[in-house]
């Protein structure tokens, strides 16, 4: 069960946004990621609980940030309920999309798991619903993912396979690289792995 923490920062001006302390693990029905977030002062700022089925589809998502909460799942595309800080108003949403995304590293792993790309495959288009910080406002985005490189590194424990993805935002053409090893993000825009207590899990 990988456990550690990421540092988060604004990918454009590198303003520190805090840390995300996580643990995750594959299970008999898929994969689950649970994390707690703190802001740069160390105060609790949110949480993530994401569970995928064996095909990489989100069967349960719960996000909390700034007293806002989102619960969602892959139902008729993706469906979610967003609750305001007072708890008196809840809005429902449904979009014919493949999955969810957001600032948590969990969503990069989840998208890669859903697409299951191979190095020789062409780029794959995916539609996602992004929940933007700090109020978890939903926004539909279209991306293109391609697995451009796969390298295996020798370590003291076991070989470590690192996948490099090229992700393109189809509305702006902006491209960036994401480096994953199993169910851990090694680096991505706005995300740095600061500590990892146990090796990444290896997906079948």
């Amino acid at each position: 069960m990988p456990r550690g923490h990421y540092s988060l920062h604004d990918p454009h001006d590198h303003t520190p946004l805090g840390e995300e302390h996580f643990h995750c693990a594959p299970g008999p029905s898929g994969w689950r990621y649970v994390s707690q977030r703190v802001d740069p002062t160390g105060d609790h700022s949110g949480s993530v609980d994401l569970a995928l089925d064996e095909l990489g589809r989100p069967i349960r998502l719960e996000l909390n940030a700034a007293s806002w909460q989102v619960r969602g799942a892959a139902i008729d595309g993706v469906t979610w309920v967003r609750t305001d800080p007072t708890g008196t108003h809840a809005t429902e949403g449904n979009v014919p999309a493949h999955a969810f995304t957001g600032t948590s590293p969990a969503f990069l792993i989840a998208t890669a798991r859903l697409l299951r790309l191979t190095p020789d495959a062409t780029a794959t288009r995916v539609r996602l619903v992004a929940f933007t910080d700090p109020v978890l406002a939903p926004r539909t985005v279209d991306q293109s993912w391609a697995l451009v490189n796969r390298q295996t590194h020798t370590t003291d424990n076991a070989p470590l396979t690192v996948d490099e993805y090229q992700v393109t935002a189809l509305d702006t053409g902006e491209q960036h690289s994401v480096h994953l090893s199993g169910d851990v993000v090694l680096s991505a825009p706005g995300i740095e792995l600061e500590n990892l207590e146990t090796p990444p899990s290896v997906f079948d």
Side-chain angles (χ1 to χ4, degrees), residues 138-179:
R139 181 170 62 93
T140 303
V141 298
D142 291 303
Q143 296 178 343
S144 172
W145 280 60
L147 178 54
V148 296
N149 192 21
R150 172 172 287 167
Q151 294 184 334
T152 301
H153 303 271
T154 302
T155 70
D156 294 338
N157 298 313
L160 185 72
T161 299
V162 177
D163 288 338
E164 179 185 356
Y165 294 87
Q166 184 178 76
V167 181
T168 304
L170 295 181
D171 56 345
T172 64
E174 181 180 2
Q175 294 184 333
H176 60 267
S177 294
V178 172
H179 292 82

Side-chain angles (χ1 to χ4, degrees), residues 2-8 17-24 32-40 42-50 62-66 69 103-106 133:
R3 182 185 301 269
H5 77 269
Y6 298 100
S7 63
L8 307 176
L17 300 177
E19 294 183 344
E20 185 162 322
H21 296 256
F22 73 94
H23 61 272
C24 57
R32 187 179 180 194
Y33 177 103
V34 178
S35 70
Q36 298 291 326
R37 284 190 163 189
V38 295
D39 64 21
D43 292 332
H44 184 263
S45 61
S47 63
V48 179
D49 189 342
L50 174 65
E62 182 175 317
L63 295 177
N64 290 277
Q69 182 184 80
T103 55
S104 172
D133 292 336

Side-chain angles (χ1 to χ4, degrees), residues 2 15 20 27 32 39 46 61 65 71 86 92 97 102 122 129 147 150 152 156 180 194 200:
T15 301
E20 185 162 322
R32 187 179 180 194
D39 64 21
L61 170 67
R71 293 176 182 266
T86 65
E92 297 184 8
T122 58
V129 172
L147 178 54
R150 172 172 287 167
T152 301
D156 294 338
L180 306 181
E194 298 291 347

Side-chain angles (χ1 to χ4, degrees), residues 59-164:
I59 55 176
R60 187 181 71 254
L61 170 67
E62 182 175 317
L63 295 177
N64 290 277
S67 299
W68 292 87
Q69 182 184 80
V70 167
R71 293 176 182 266
I75 303 172
D76 297 327
V78 294
T79 299
W80 68 92
V81 176
R82 176 174 173 264
T83 305
D84 66 298
T86 65
T88 57
H89 302 285
T91 57
E92 297 184 8
N94 173 263
V95 170
H98 300 93
F100 301 108
T101 191
T103 55
S104 172
F107 294 114
L108 297 175
I109 301 160
T111 303
R113 184 69 178 150
L114 177 70
L115 298 178
R116 298 173 187 260
L117 300 176
T118 56
D120 56 350
T122 58
T124 297
R125 178 173 177 154
V126 61
R127 172 162 288 182
L128 305 168
V129 172
F131 293 106
T132 56
D133 292 336
V135 296
L136 303 180
R139 181 170 62 93
T140 303
V141 298
D142 291 303
Q143 296 178 343
S144 172
W145 280 60
L147 178 54
V148 296
N149 192 21
R150 172 172 287 167
Q151 294 184 334
T152 301
H153 303 271
T154 302
T155 70
D156 294 338
N157 298 313
L160 185 72
T161 299
V162 177
D163 288 338
E164 179 185 356

